[in-house]
Amino acid sequence: MSRDPQRWARVQALFHQAVDLTEGERRAFLERECGDAPEMVEEVLGLVEEDGRSDSILERELGTVADAVLDGSVPPVRVVGPYRIRRVLGRGGMGVVYLAEREDLRSLAAIKVLRDASLSPVRRDRFAREQRMLAHLVHPAIGRLYDADTLPDGTPYFVMEYVEGVPLTDYCEREAAPLRARLRLFRAVCEAVQVAHGQAVVHRDLKPSNILVTADGSPKLLDFGIAKQLEELDVPAQQTETALRLMTPAYAAPEQILGEPVGTYTDIYALGVILYELLTGRLPFDLSRRTPGQAEAVILEHEAARPSEVARAKGSSPPPGLEGIGRGAWAELDVLCLTAMHRDPERRYRTVDALVRDLDHFRAGEPLRARPDSATYRLRKLVRRQWKPLSALAAAATVVVGLVAFYTVRLARARDLAVEEAARAQRIQRFTLSLFSGGDEDVGPADSLHVVTLLDRGVHEARVLDGEPDIQAELYQTLGSIYQQLGNLDRADSLLQAALDQNRRLQGPRGTAVARSMVALGLLRLDQAQLDESEKLVREGLDDLRQTYPADHPSVIDAETALGRILQERGLYDEAVAVLDRAVQTLSGRGASQELSNTMGELANTWFYAGNLAASDSLNRVLLDMDRDLFGPRHPSVGDGLINLGAIQFQLGNYADAERFYREALDILQSYYGPDHPETASNLTMLGRALVYQGKNEEAMQALHRALAIQERVFGPVHPAVASTLNDLGVAAMQTGDMPAAEEDYRRMLSIYDAVYGPNHYLYALAQANLASVYAAEERWSDAEALFRKAVALFEETLPAGHQHTAIARIKLGHVLAKEGRWAEAEGPLVAGYEALSAQASPTVSWLTTARTDLATVYDSLGQPEKAARYRAQGADTPAVASGG
Amino acid sequence: MDCPVERPELDRLFSSTYEELKRLAASVRRDEPGETLNPTALVNEAYLKLARSLRIQPASRLHFKRIAARAMRQVLVEAARRRSAQKRGGDALMVTLDGSRDRAVECSGELLALDAALGELAELEPRQAQMVEYRFFGGFDLSETASVLGVSESTVQRDWRAARAWLGRELRRAP
């Protein structure tokens, strides 16, 4: 058949006519029409015949065709680990959820299998490691995550508690639940979320279908933390797509839509939307007929109608059970709801706890803390400080010398310090301090010779004021603090002590100036690592100040911040948080300021050391924004903030992210402090560590060598900071296989710790163990063995029982002995180390694996195959995870 | 087809659609054995996912359906090719008792023949070939087809009837 469109058109025309004719008429008609092309007759007849049939492939359902044709060679899932699949419960965006039964235990579970997310072996490790975190999340209102692992082909799956229940919003509607009941349920949900946040787990995908109300009327939250896990399964380039796939647009927070960092505040947004739905029976935005792209635009650009308006609108009725709520109550509910789901994360409730507290206030008829227009941090109204473009020299001269003049002029004024005077003096001091410690990024830090000379001159000037002892004391204190900032602790000590003594002479044992001096001296003691003395001084000072001044007086806040820092140093994190949080609350009502920044920074650090990384991260991000607004984007405070954020990521094991933050920080801090400053060194060390953990050894060593050079110069060759950097260098060297270099690094580290702490300190043992590791890597077994033995002995002496360092050292010792074939001797240390390490909450599993493997070999060689098999079996069950030691 | 989307984006949209449909179809088969595939549902699901994750939006759902129809055709044709190759390949050693494999191979052959015939029809009358593609692979109904091709429903019915007859003949003819 020729490919002639015109011909085809003609054939069709004939066909349509012929098909309506009777059979008899047809042939005649065609023969008449197709005189010039007789073959067309047969063609059209053929078409007519075909028209009468209906058995070609075109008549079939595409589904059956597809079924037949598509590759079904992959067998369906029947068994997952010890579970047998019973049926499909549902299909979600990322995979299928099955109902499964564990036959040996006759228990049910829900298993979510993530199709199309086949994990590479490296990611499998990480996946298993992360789920460990989630498995600790145990709470009656949170659906348990029992296990997570991968199928043999790398497909990940989660084993979760099987929960039967009704989605929260459906339940409330069905039961026509009154307001009290809805709020009670909602509060229970919030509590569960708060528990998770306290363990640094953010849900990220809260929505009513993830909150089931069970038969006993209590809610259970599902899918906790899975969203984060799922995000990490994809290549970073696709992460935004994955994140978007995961979200249900209606509950997605603006920062999720924009691909910005997610935190506890994101869950709070979702809780707000859920509350909105519970109160109005509707979602805040009508996204029903929009494409997801349009939905995002709506959420980002529009304000939701207030719940009170929606529920009381003409022509609509509130959800069943919610009739009869008064106008005042609705106003409060509006505030609750809209604060939680504010578009700007900083304007939401800062913690779920805060939301719960306001819920309680509401139920008790008390006023809420969140007020409709309250801006917790008035960033946009801030005036950026205008630093004089003078050099430090001139500025310092002006200030320090001018202070003398200032106070001289004030000779005539009354000596009794009123609150305003003290506050002003405080501000002057702070201005001076900040000038020296980083007010102007052009000026740079104040450790240049000129400034020091000026300070000396200032001290000299101050001595002139013998006739004005109180002013003199003030100046001594100011100068002492400046020296402290510069790191000259001895000078600071004598000055601050002199100030205190002077004030005591003037005011007696108690007085506001005395109290302030005590706080300042207390802070110095902190730097000098004399914690007891430090705390004593600060507490005394704080008590005195509190008696005289109101709670939001700058001196009081200073003292509270100082106390918070001390408690943090001591590891009393709960108390530290309590003190600092109060100070932050007090300050934040007055808008952003340097004091607020300092205090918030301490609070964020406390969270970090306490292990609440999520809280620290959230707070640090807010702080970063505030500092950028307050000081400008290249200010060292911003650099510090970036370092903190990097530290958090490092702690979470996100070394690439940590590296990114550290580099950004380095950029700022290096240009501010100069390339040879201890702060730069410290930054470089952290960067180096992040690089080492990623295996980027060359870059790591560059950074670390630079840091080392600075530290040696500034602190001298024998200093703990130097030793710490040498440790990192040793690790990097070992990773590149350069054993001689590693050995040299560790030897030096050992000698430093010997000199600084003595040979009976756990850090000395740590250096010994590291050096021994190098010997082991070089197969110098007897040297390694001897040194490991010493290290183990010293660890035992200096650390609490069952400590990780001791356990790992034992395993290393056992490993060496096993390598030498000394099976019987190897058994003891291996077993002891293994048991101690397994008992840990989050053991470093690489060493567990080593221990197991070695023990299996040992027992095989000792002719005890059952024991060997036992250890092998344990290895098979547990996912093999590689992690930093 | 005239579409408001630029060519490279169109290609990208097509690739993503293709991959998504393939993935979806395979996942349904794996996870819910015994369930017959519902292409319309697959296309819906693919649309939801892709529209969310791709930064470009097809101008309308219908526009997407057109692309999906083409993609679906490609997915199935490729699968059919693999299947019919099995007839000649090493898998011939496997004996199935219920003959389902034979049916699969037979169906694959038919699908391949349809694909070839459609190609030829496209040379005769492109719009008709498109119509068949939309209706058969894309699950378009009468009004959707008319709307997307810019003709009346009665035109669609006529053209469909003729195309169907012609294709049926071609398929019978094929070896």
Side-chain angles (χ1 to χ4, degrees), chain A residues 527-573:
Chain A
D527 278 0
Q528 295 170 319
Q530 296 172 32
L531 288 178
D532 288 347
E533 177 77 4
S534 174
E535 189 176 344
K536 185 158 97 59
L537 282 164
V538 170
R539 278 200 190 276
E540 252 189 84
L542 180 58
D543 284 350
D544 285 0
L545 290 167
R546 274 189 182 139
Q547 280 170 24
T548 317
Y549 294 143
D552 63 343
H553 192 277
S555 304
V556 175
I557 300 285
D558 269 3
E560 283 179 340
T561 309
L563 181 59
R565 259 194 73 194
I566 294 167
L567 290 167
Q568 182 206 107
E569 288 281 332
R570 308 199 91 143
L572 301 169
Y573 300 122

Side-chain angles (χ1 to χ4, degrees), chain A residues 8 12 53 59 91 116, chain B residues 23 31-32 120 128 164:
Chain A
W8 169 237
Q12 283 187 85
R53 299 171 75 154
E59 308 309 320
R91 287 167 51 90
D116 321 303
Chain B
R23 202 185 60 73
D31 303 329
E32 292 168 73
E120 293 184 0
Q128 250 172 332
R164 194 183 134 272

Side-chain angles (χ1 to χ4, degrees), chain B residues 88-158:
Chain B
R88 295 182 287 279
D91 291 334
L93 290 174
M94 273 171 39
V95 177
T96 49
L97 295 175
D98 59 356
S100 64
R101 255 195 83 239
D102 296 336
R103 278 206 294 278
V105 168
E106 194 185 304
C107 199
S108 307
E110 283 181 296
L111 194 56
L112 289 173
L114 173 63
D115 184 56
L118 262 183
E120 293 184 0
L121 180 59
E123 292 187 37
L124 290 174
E125 174 52 77
R127 200 183 66 202
Q128 250 172 332
Q130 275 180 352
M131 184 189 305
V132 173
E133 190 178 85
Y134 298 157
R135 296 201 73 182
F136 182 65
F137 290 104
F140 278 57
D141 63 24
L142 187 56
S143 76
E144 283 174 324
T145 314
S147 159
V148 113
L149 289 174
V151 298
S152 69
E153 283 186 20
S154 56
T155 307
V156 172
Q157 278 176 318
R158 265 170 63 100

